[in-house]
């Protein structure tokens, strides 16, 4: 219960002190080159997510100047309910499947912060069950579409605190940021504010994605 209270406190602190960056409406425009699919953290404000999704999308726009981008905000509660991450998992996979059918040449960059990282983990076949605000896998991106996922960008990923990480098919396409002392992704971490600092990693995440698209 203490770690769940910590998550709520993080959200309240972050919501009170953040300046939301400008980002386009979270909708996948017709057949852009890259669709950025972002799962926000627990109670995180912003269009795609004020701490991670919005600044990462802006950084990708600056970095990927030769490609058209669209964005999609994963539709899920992002709260402390037991089914929250599972709902996000289902929505993310459904969105990718639908877009892949409508836009045969479109590729995807998946972005997940905190609970949103659990959503992405599950969607690429890495169960977040047992992690903070995690859940069992309810859907995975089909094998036929795995090659369409160009990059996976994770921040404050709760599965790391239980000794797990992204392995297998997506490992080489994944960058997973965990700030020193972040209690959500580091077992024994005690720096609550570390979980709110991932905006600083937006440019590095965009640089990584640029090598994969």
């Amino acid at each position: 219960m203490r770690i769940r209270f910590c998550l709520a406190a993080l959200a309240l602190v972050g919501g009170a002190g953040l300046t939301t960056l400008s980002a386009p409406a979270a909708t996948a425009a017709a057949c852009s080159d890259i669709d950025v699919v972002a799962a926000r953290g627990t109670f995180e404000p912003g269009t795609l997510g004020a701490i991670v999704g919005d600044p990462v999308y802006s950084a990708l726009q600056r970095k990927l100047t030769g490609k058209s981008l669209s964005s999609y905000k994963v539709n899920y509660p992002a709260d402390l309910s037991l089914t929250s991450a599972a709902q996000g998992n289902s929505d993310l996979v459904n969105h990718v499947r639908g877009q892949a059918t409508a836009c045969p040449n479109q590729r995807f960059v998946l972005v997940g912060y905190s609970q949103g990282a659990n959503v992405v983990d599950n969607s690429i076949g890495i169960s977040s069950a047992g992690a903070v605000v995690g859940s069992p896998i309810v859907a995975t991106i089909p094998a036929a579409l795995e090659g369409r996922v160009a990059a996976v960008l994770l921040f404050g990923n709760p599965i790391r605190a239980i000794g797990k990480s992204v392995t297998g098919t997506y490992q080489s396409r994944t960058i997973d940021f965990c700030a020193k002392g972040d209690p959500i992704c580091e077992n024994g971490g005690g720096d609550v504010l570390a979980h709110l600092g991932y905006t600083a990693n937006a440019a590095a995440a965009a640089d990584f994605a640029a090598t994969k698209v």
Side-chain angles (χ1 to χ4, degrees):
M1 292 300 294
R2 183 170 63 180
I3 195 68
R4 290 193 175 210
F5 176 79
C6 176
L7 274 170
L10 283 168
L12 291 173
V13 170
L18 288 168
T19 299
T20 303
L21 299 180
S22 176
T27 179
C31 299
S32 61
D33 295 324
I34 304 292
D35 189 30
V36 180
V37 183
R40 68 198 188 282
T42 306
F43 304 129
E44 185 185 9
T47 304
L48 302 177
I51 296 171
V52 167
D54 292 342
V56 167
Y57 188 83
S58 294
L60 286 167
Q61 286 181 308
R62 291 190 295 271
K63 189 70 178 179
L64 303 178
T65 54
K67 297 184 181 296
S68 60
L69 271 65
S70 57
S71 65
Y72 179 75
K73 177 180 180 179
V74 174
N75 182 16
Y76 83 115
D79 60 20
L80 300 178
S81 63
L82 295 178
T83 63
S84 177
Q87 291 179 62
N89 175 193
S90 178
D91 184 72
L92 188 156
V93 172
N94 285 339
H95 173 75
V96 169
R97 290 171 66 106
Q99 280 298 116
T101 298
C103 303
N105 296 317
Q106 190 174 63
R107 301 182 74 196
F108 302 92
V109 172
L110 308 183
V111 181
Y113 165 53
S114 194
Q115 183 177 174
N118 286 339
V119 169
V120 174
D121 291 332
N122 282 9
S123 300
I124 61 175
I126 309 295
S127 176
S128 66
V132 175
V133 288
S135 78
I137 294 170
V138 298
T140 55
I141 293 171
L145 300 181
E146 288 174 352
R148 304 271 295 273
V149 177
V152 178
L153 313 178
L154 303 173
F155 306 77
N157 189 355
I159 69 169
R160 291 186 55 167
I162 59 171
K164 297 180 68 175
S165 62
V166 175
T167 57
T169 301
Y170 293 96
Q171 184 174 10
S172 65
R173 287 175 265 167
T174 297
I175 190 165
D176 192 343
F177 297 93
C178 180
K180 183 175 177 57
D182 180 346
I184 305 305
C185 59
E186 181 183 294
N187 186 20
D191 184 358
V192 173
L193 293 180
H195 194 63
L196 300 176
Y198 291 105
T199 300
N201 300 114
D207 288 346
F208 175 82
T211 69
K212 304 298 180 181
V213 297

